């Protein structure tokens, strides 16, 4: 019998056994959490009579929007972060290869950005779960065993209840690896947060439960939701069809091929695609052509949030591999097109392999095509104009992507605003975080 008990934001863990699981959830401070039917709902209760801050739903990947999350928390924590679970690069790829299941890297990355930083212990937990092992495989394994055995300096500042909770799931992850002797696991450049996530997901047999646990351990604000766009315990593979008919399998191969090497990714300077991307879709794990297309259901909590939020945001980042995988699912386009709320596209500041030669209106077209499922099964196709999905465009000042106002106006988008930017030596032109969030706040007033 395994027991997971939540006491005042902490988790007490006893004798893990994958054959049984019991939850005991207790109210702590003003927070109340419930976990039902593999979905998470969170409510914040306050005696204050002040007006609630605005609520947002953000479609993004694990990197592009991370830089503005801290600023966004200053105006509202009522944000549903919707992320894909099809990333097959980095340490996520090794976890999926050996243990299977969905990719958790983007979710872990966003959870860390949302985690509490108000105490020294919160910072210690964040530092531990954000740690990456050395690139050298031998040193990585040594570092990993020091962490699992509780001897690493990263445990400094982490109290015993948190230490026991986090270590329990890291040990469970290690045991799962050892149970697969035919698949040697490479720890090089591995993320401790990813390992913790994977251990929790396998133990609970639920991605939602793993997110719930991670949220409690890292003390994410109770009204901030981190939602996998597909709630699954299975591996998901992203595919894309190019305009010349070529099929590419795997998010990494579409976005930034690395030839299996561990290296720093520069998506702006990856080799160009032989043809522009026509659409992205989901494939069976072993498939390699259009006959292997699959249609996973969208996470119902995502649809619930879409129906009620004050603002829908399509974040900057990898357009086809970070944003569009959440848009092509049945039900998403239907709800967004029916809403009369603010719908904002945050335009990238630089081109990358996926969008080489794109203008602003090309980004709008790609998003509308994904939501309409224009190039997929004609039986589930929508025919809504772009203005049904986007009504406001925010552009980083001095960005590299041409803003073709005439074409945007023809698409139904007349509210185009330029936002102050910064130039990053690695990522090019980026939104200035405070200017971006201030502009969003003014739109929501």
């Amino acid at each position: 019998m395994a027991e997971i008990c939540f006491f005042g934001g902490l988790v007490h863990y006893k004798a893990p056994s994958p054959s049984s699981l019991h939850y005991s959830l207790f109210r702590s401070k003003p927070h109340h959490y419930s976990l039902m039917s593999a979905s998470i709902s969170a409510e914040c209760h306050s005696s204050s009579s002040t007006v609630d801050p605005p609520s947002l739903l953000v479609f993004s990947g694990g990197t592009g929007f991370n830089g503005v999350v801290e600023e966004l928390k200053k105006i509202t924590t009522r944000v549903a972060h919707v992320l894909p679970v099809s990333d097959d690069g980095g340490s996520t790829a090794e976890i999926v290869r050996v243990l299977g299941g969905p990719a958790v890297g983007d979710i872990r990355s966003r959870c860390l950005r949302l985690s509490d930083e108000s105490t020294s212990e919160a910072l210690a937990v964040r530092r531990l779960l954000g740690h990456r092992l050395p690139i050298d495989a031998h040193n990585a394994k040594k570092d990993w065993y020091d962490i699992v055995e509780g001897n690493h300096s990263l445990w400094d500042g982490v109290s015993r209840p948190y230490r026991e909770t986090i270590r329990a799931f890291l040990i469970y992850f290690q045991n799962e690896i050892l149970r697969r002797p035919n698949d040697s696991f490479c720890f090089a450049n591995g993320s401790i947060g990813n390992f913790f996530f994977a251990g929790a997901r396998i133990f609970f047999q639920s991605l939602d439960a793993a997110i719930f646990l991670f949220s409690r351990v890292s003390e994410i604000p109770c009204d901030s939701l981190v939602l996998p766009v597909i709630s699954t315990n299975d591996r998901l593979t992203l595919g894309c069809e190019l305009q010349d008919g070529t099929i590419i399998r795997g998010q990494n191969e579409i976005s930034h091929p690395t030839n299996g090497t561990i290296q720093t990714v520069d998506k702006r300077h990856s080799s160009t695609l032989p043809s522009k991307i026509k659409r992205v879709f989901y494939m069976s794990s072993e498939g390699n052509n259009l006959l292997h297309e699959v249609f996973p259901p969208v996470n119902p909590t995502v649809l619930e949030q879409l129906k009620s939020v004050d603002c829908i945001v399509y974040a900057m980042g990898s357009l086809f591999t970070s944003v569009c995988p959440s848009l092509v699912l049945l039900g998403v386009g239907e709800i967004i097109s029916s809403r009369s709320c603010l719908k904002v596209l945050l335009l990238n500041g630089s081109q990358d392999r996926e969008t080489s030669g794109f203008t602003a209106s090309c980004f709008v077209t790609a998003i509308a095509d994904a939501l309409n499922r224009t190039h997929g099964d004609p039986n589930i196709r929508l025919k809504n104009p772009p203005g049904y999905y986007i009504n406001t465009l925010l552009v980083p000042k001095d960005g590299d992507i041409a803003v073709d106002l005439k074409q945007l106006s023809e698409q139904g988008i007349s509210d185009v605003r330029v936002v102050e930017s910064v130039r990053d030596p690695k990522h090019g032109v980026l939104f200035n975080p405070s200017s971006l969030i201030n502009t969003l706040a003014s739109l929501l007033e």
Side-chain angles (χ1 to χ4, degrees):
M1 181 70 174
E3 188 173 331
I4 307 292
C5 299
F6 298 81
F7 296 99
L10 302 183
V11 187
H12 182 62
Y13 178 88
K14 292 182 181 178
S17 168
S19 62
S20 60
L21 178 65
H22 173 68
Y23 295 92
S24 297
L25 304 181
F26 295 89
R27 188 166 294 183
S28 66
K29 298 181 182 178
H31 310 317
H32 175 71
Y33 284 78
S34 63
L35 185 61
M36 299 174 61
S37 304
S39 67
I40 300 173
S41 63
E43 296 180 39
C44 291
H45 303 286
S46 172
S47 59
S48 172
S49 59
T50 58
V51 177
D52 286 335
S55 60
L56 287 75
L57 183 144
V58 180
F59 291 109
S60 71
T63 304
F65 195 72
N66 275 352
V68 302
V69 167
E70 296 294 336
E71 286 294 325
L72 181 57
K73 286 196 292 186
K74 295 177 182 179
I75 66 165
T76 183
T77 56
R78 297 178 63 211
V79 183
H81 300 264
V82 179
L83 296 130
V85 286
S86 49
D87 186 8
D88 58 358
S91 69
T92 296
E94 187 67 0
I95 295 171
V96 172
R97 181 184 71 83
V98 176
L99 300 178
V104 297
D106 288 351
I107 293 172
R108 180 266 313 161
S109 178
R110 185 58 47 82
C111 284
L112 280 175
R113 289 296 180 130
L114 292 169
S115 63
D116 182 40
E117 296 180 286
S118 63
T119 67
S120 59
E121 178 166 51
L123 289 170
V125 170
R126 181 168 175 158
R127 185 166 55 249
L128 170 67
L129 295 177
H131 179 68
R132 280 198 177 272
L133 301 175
I135 291 180
D136 177 79
H138 176 76
N139 292 334
K141 182 174 283 190
K142 182 181 182 301
D143 204 35
W144 165 246
Y145 280 118
D146 283 345
I147 292 170
V148 170
E149 292 168 4
N151 299 324
H152 201 286
S153 60
L154 284 169
W155 292 110
D156 294 347
V158 181
S159 65
R160 184 176 176 182
Y162 276 109
R163 178 190 292 250
E164 289 183 352
T165 299
I166 296 170
R167 273 195 69 215
F169 288 99
L170 294 179
I171 291 169
Y172 194 83
F173 173 78
Q174 173 70 10
N175 287 340
E176 287 297 304
I177 290 173
L178 294 176
R179 289 177 58 197
R180 294 162 173 81
N182 295 329
D183 294 306
S184 177
F185 189 90
C186 179
F187 290 97
N189 202 39
S191 161
I192 299 303
N194 282 357
F195 297 165
F196 174 78
F197 235 124
R201 180 195 63 78
I202 296 168
F203 177 78
F204 291 122
Q205 287 296 294
S206 166
L207 179 57
D208 288 336
I211 295 172
F212 177 82
L213 175 65
F214 198 106
S215 299
R216 293 295 273 174
V217 167
S218 57
E219 296 191 40
I220 291 173
C222 65
D223 48 4
S224 294
L225 300 177
V226 179
L227 300 172
V229 70
I230 301 167
S231 182
T232 180
N233 214 32
D234 298 323
R235 177 180 179 178
L236 288 170
T237 300
L238 190 70
C240 90
E241 180 183 3
L242 304 185
Q243 290 182 358
D244 67 0
T246 301
I247 302 299
I248 301 178
R249 171 188 165 82
Q251 177 175 321
N252 208 49
E253 283 298 308
I254 300 167
S255 180
H256 48 276
T258 59
N259 298 319
T261 60
I262 299 172
Q263 59 187 48
T264 302
V265 172
D266 187 346
K267 297 182 180 181
R268 293 181 301 146
H269 299 120
S270 294
S271 60
T272 58
L273 289 163
S275 177
K276 292 186 182 300
I277 296 175
K278 182 178 181 180
R279 67 173 183 128
V280 293
F281 60 95
Y282 290 95
M283 308 176 72
S284 63
S285 296
E286 305 303 324
N288 56 18
N289 60 52
L290 291 177
L291 295 176
H292 297 107
E293 182 172 1
V294 295
F295 302 90
V298 65
N299 184 344
T301 306
V302 172
L303 299 183
E304 291 171 9
Q305 290 293 314
L306 278 173
K307 293 175 182 177
S308 61
V309 293
D310 301 316
C311 176
I312 297 167
V313 177
Y314 310 95
M316 56 286 193
S318 300
L319 175 62
F320 287 102
T321 55
S322 291
V323 178
C324 287
S326 296
L327 308 182
V328 299
L329 300 169
L330 193 65
V332 177
E334 284 83 348
I335 293 177
I336 295 177
S337 62
S338 71
R339 295 292 315 279
S340 58
C341 64
L342 187 65
K343 305 167 189 178
V344 184
L345 169 60
L346 309 181
L347 189 67
N348 287 351
S350 305
Q351 303 281 11
D352 60 21
R353 170 179 161 92
E354 300 177 18
T355 58
S356 178
F358 271 34
T359 63
S361 66
C362 295
F363 278 76
V364 172
T365 297
I367 288 173
D369 283 349
L371 288 163
N372 280 331
R373 303 179 291 277
T374 300
H375 303 296
D377 183 349
N379 294 315
I380 56 172
R381 189 175 297 165
L382 302 177
K383 297 181 179 180
N384 295 314
Y388 277 46
Y389 298 121
I390 300 169
N391 51 36
T392 303
L393 177 67
L394 300 188
V395 180
K397 184 179 180 181
D398 300 323
D400 299 334
I401 295 170
V403 180
D404 42 349
L405 292 174
K406 182 175 183 295
Q407 287 79 6
L408 289 169
S409 178
E410 291 172 353
Q411 291 175 322
I413 301 165
S414 56
D415 190 356
V416 179
R417 306 191 184 196
V418 177
V419 178
E420 289 299 318
S421 65
V422 296
R423 185 170 287 276
D424 182 271
K426 180 179 178 182
H427 301 291
V429 177
L430 304 173
F431 284 104
N432 176 287
S434 59
S435 297
L436 174 61
I437 298 309
N438 286 339
T439 302
L440 269 178
S442 67
L443 288 168
L444 288 162
E445 288 178 350

